Amino acid sequence: MSFIKSIRETPPLVVCITNDVVKNFTANGMIALGASPIMSGEKEEAESLMKVADGLLINIGTADMHKKELMSEMIAQANKNNVPVVLDPVGYGASPFRKNLVNELIEKYDIQLIKGNRSEMLALSGGESTSRGVDSTEDSDALKIAETSYDKFNIPVLVTGETDAVVANGHKSTLHNGHPLQGRITGSGCLLGAVILAFIAKNNDVNNAVENAVSYYNLCAETAGENNTAGPGTFIPNYIDSLYSNDDDILKDKVVKSHE
Ligand SMILES: Nc1ncnc2c1ncn2[C@@H]1O[C@H](COP(=O)(O)OP(=O)(O)O)[C@@H](O)[C@H]1O
Ligand SMILES: Cc1ncsc1CCOP(=O)(O)O
């Protein structure tokens, strides 16, 4: 499957209800990839947008009561129109508001993938997380967290970090690409949620789409980190350039993956 070629030939429209910190980075990253992002803040347009969208990202990073209504309406319309939904429970353990919001969305609606960092996913799966904010402080095993989350919700999950773990529909794998500077900028996990939707739009097999999206994204980070990068500041534009200048070839021999 030539994901990048297909994304660039017919760019999937991904509606991003995401946090205020990462909107610009997410839009730039998606356009560099070749996809078509649209951010929205108005529930009145949920019906129109979900009639034409190829994916819906719900990222709760800076959610509030107004955005809660927006998210609910967008997912309801996405479900009605069979638009795939990725949920990013940013900072899940940080407050009861975040927990209740995410729990309610999972309970009420169909979600195709829950993705989060180890701390978020550990807290979501019922474990004790030490994180107080949006950054991961966990060194627990990513695959174990993913398995526990999948057992609890029966929804495909991706747990991110130095090792990424995917568990879905009888399938388990860990992925081992990426660059440490991804953990030193804001928004690398948030942009990944949108990128995954561009890949899902090109392949209904969620496992396959997620693995390829994570691998492409992390291999681009590796090349960005290796070329003229002095630190987090220069990593950001180099990363955007790398998402733009690479293609499907990067996936052919550089993916480090193990199947369980
Ligand atoms: N130390 C690391 N080494 C390699 N890749 C990493 C590292 N930290 C994060 N990543 C990658 O960065 C992306 C975001 O992961 P993460 O930092 O866990 O998410 P978040 O930004 O939501 O906290 C993922 O693609 C992940 O594989
Ligand atoms: C700093 C911050 N605060 C609320 S959302 C957000 C961005 C989090 O981005 P990521 O989880 O991708 O690092």
Side-chain angles (χ1 to χ4, degrees):
M1 174 80 207
S2 303
F3 282 101
I4 305 301
K5 185 165 179 276
S6 176
I7 287 169
R8 288 174 183 160
E9 275 172 6
T10 44
L13 179 69
V14 178
V15 176
C16 303
I17 311 298
T18 194
N19 68 72
D20 303 337
V21 182
V22 305
K23 282 179 185 159
N24 182 277
F25 182 62
T26 304
N28 273 314
M30 286 291 276
I31 293 166
L33 177 75
S36 179
I38 177 171
M39 279 53 187
S40 170
E42 176 51 61
K43 68 175 184 193
E44 288 287 305
E45 64 177 8
E47 193 178 348
S48 324
L49 287 180
M50 287 308 125
K51 280 189 180 142
V52 293
D54 296 302
L56 172 66
L57 173 68
I58 299 290
N59 174 311
I60 68 136
T62 53
D64 54 28
M65 290 310 281
H66 164 79
K67 285 183 194 146
K68 180 180 172 181
E69 281 182 31
L70 168 71
M71 288 171 183
S72 300
E73 186 56 25
M74 283 285 174
I75 310 184
Q77 291 297 332
N79 286 175
K80 204 168 152 189
N81 292 282
N82 294 318
V83 175
V85 180
V86 168
L87 175 65
D88 192 337
V90 177
Y92 178 85
S95 70
F97 175 77
R98 284 171 199 257
K99 282 188 186 167
N100 294 337
L101 170 59
V102 170
N103 294 345
E104 197 177 312
L105 295 178
I106 292 175
E107 202 178 297
K108 279 196 183 160
Y109 302 106
D110 291 335
I111 285 159
Q112 278 59 54
L113 177 77
I114 308 174
K115 70 148 291 284
N117 66 34
R118 281 182 296 187
S119 289
E120 290 154 358
M121 296 305 288
L122 179 69
L124 185 60
S125 68
E128 285 284 323
S129 168
T130 54
S131 177
R132 293 176 303 142
V134 298
D135 294 322
S136 182
T137 51
E138 260 358 285
D139 54 11
S140 340
D141 186 87
L143 186 60
K144 265 202 195 115
I145 299 172
E147 285 169 336
T148 314
S149 305
Y150 184 74
D151 289 346
K152 184 166 177 189
F153 299 110
N154 209 25
I155 297 171
V157 294
L158 164 67
V159 176
T160 59
E162 190 175 350
T163 294
D164 303 290
V166 185
V167 174
N169 314 321
H171 165 108
K172 295 174 191 177
S173 62
T174 54
L175 300 155
H176 306 269
N177 291 107
H179 193 280
L181 282 174
Q182 286 171 285
R184 305 303 296 268
I185 61 168
T186 192
S188 66
C190 300
L191 169 56
L192 176 60
V195 167
I196 287 171
L197 279 160
F199 279 67
I200 289 177
K202 299 296 172 182
N203 186 342
N204 292 331
D205 179 343
V206 173
N207 307 328
N208 191 258
V210 172
E211 280 189 354
N212 278 283
V214 172
S215 298
Y216 183 77
Y217 189 72
N218 284 348
L219 289 165
C220 287
E222 285 178 19
T223 51
E226 283 154 15
N227 297 323
N228 299 319
T229 289
T234 41
F235 179 66
I236 293 173
N238 287 344
Y239 197 5
I240 301 282
D241 286 352
S242 186
L243 291 167
Y244 168 78
S245 58
N246 280 293
D247 56 30
D248 291 293
D249 288 347
I250 200 173
L251 288 166
K252 285 195 183 127
D253 49 23
K254 289 193 178 159
V255 176
V256 183
K257 164 165 106 173
S258 50
H259 287 287
E260 303 296 320

